[in-house]
Every structure is written in C-alpha cells, then in structure tokens.
Amino acid sequence: MATLHNPERAWARVAALTSFDVGEVERRIGPAPGHVELLSGGLANLNLQVVGRGVLRIYRSNLGQGDLGGPAKEARLLSLPWQRLRVPRVLQQGSDFLLLEHVPHSE
C-alpha cells in the first residue's frame, strides 16, 4: 500500500505538547512493549507512536481539561464505512484517549 502525505508535519505545536511521561501511556494502555515516540502534528492533543501497539492519541484540549467527547466523536467517525479514504482502526478507547492502528505516511 502506498504511503500518504502527512500535512500535519508543517503545523506548529503548543509548547506543552512537546514532551510526555511514559506513565501517561501506562495509565491508559498498560506497559508499553516497545519504544514510545512523540509524533509530529497534534496542535491540541498528544500523539505517540507506541511500537508494538499503535498510535496513542491523548486528548488535552480545552486548557488541559480534555475534550471528553473528543475520543467518542473521533472513534465514531473512524468507524464509518469510508470508501475513498484510508483511516486507522480504533484498537482501544478511553475517556481521554484512543489507541489507533498505525497508518504509515510519506515524509
């Protein structure tokens, strides 16, 4: 499958989203079986590549309170029967996070 262009690479990130604590990952999906890497993109939410698991999106919008409807809304949109758009599968969902299938993008 061809990789997709990732326009988020050019976005500016909020300073608070430039670092993370592995404990944030473990509290949501348990111990990470491999390396955890901060991904580019995500102006309001934290996106982490968890090797061996997928992409963990932690919702941090609304001044750190989290958009509690965000994960449910996004999971619903991703579950629609898209025919011309490749979207990741939702692997796990919580009140402030989604664990998504990793979909490779072009550089």
Side-chain angles (χ1 to χ4, degrees):
M1 175 182 286
T3 57
L4 304 172
H5 171 69
N6 183 359
E8 293 181 3
R9 291 188 186 277
W11 292 0
R13 180 178 293 182
V14 175
L17 299 176
T18 59
S19 65
F20 68 96
D21 176 355
V22 174
E24 292 184 85
V25 174
E26 294 175 347
R27 282 190 295 279
R28 289 166 176 89
I29 63 170
H35 178 72
V36 179
E37 176 186 349
L38 183 64
L39 296 176
S40 64
L43 295 176
N45 305 313
L46 189 62
N47 296 293
L48 304 167
Q49 170 71 46
V50 183
V51 174
R53 295 290 298 273
V55 174
L56 177 62
R57 178 168 298 142
I58 300 174
Y59 289 75
R60 290 185 167 174
S61 55
N62 296 337
L63 301 175
Q65 300 302 311
D67 179 359
L68 299 181
K73 290 175 193 174
E74 184 172 356
R76 175 68 181 120
L77 285 171
L78 293 173
S79 72
L80 295 174
W82 299 100
Q83 295 179 7
R84 297 182 185 262
L85 179 65
R86 171 70 167 93
V87 297
R89 290 180 297 120
V90 176
L91 305 173
Q92 189 176 338
Q93 180 178 345
S95 63
D96 70 343
F97 76 91
L98 290 177
L99 180 62
L100 305 169
E101 167 191 29
H102 178 256
V103 177
H105 293 86
S106 65
E107 290 298 320

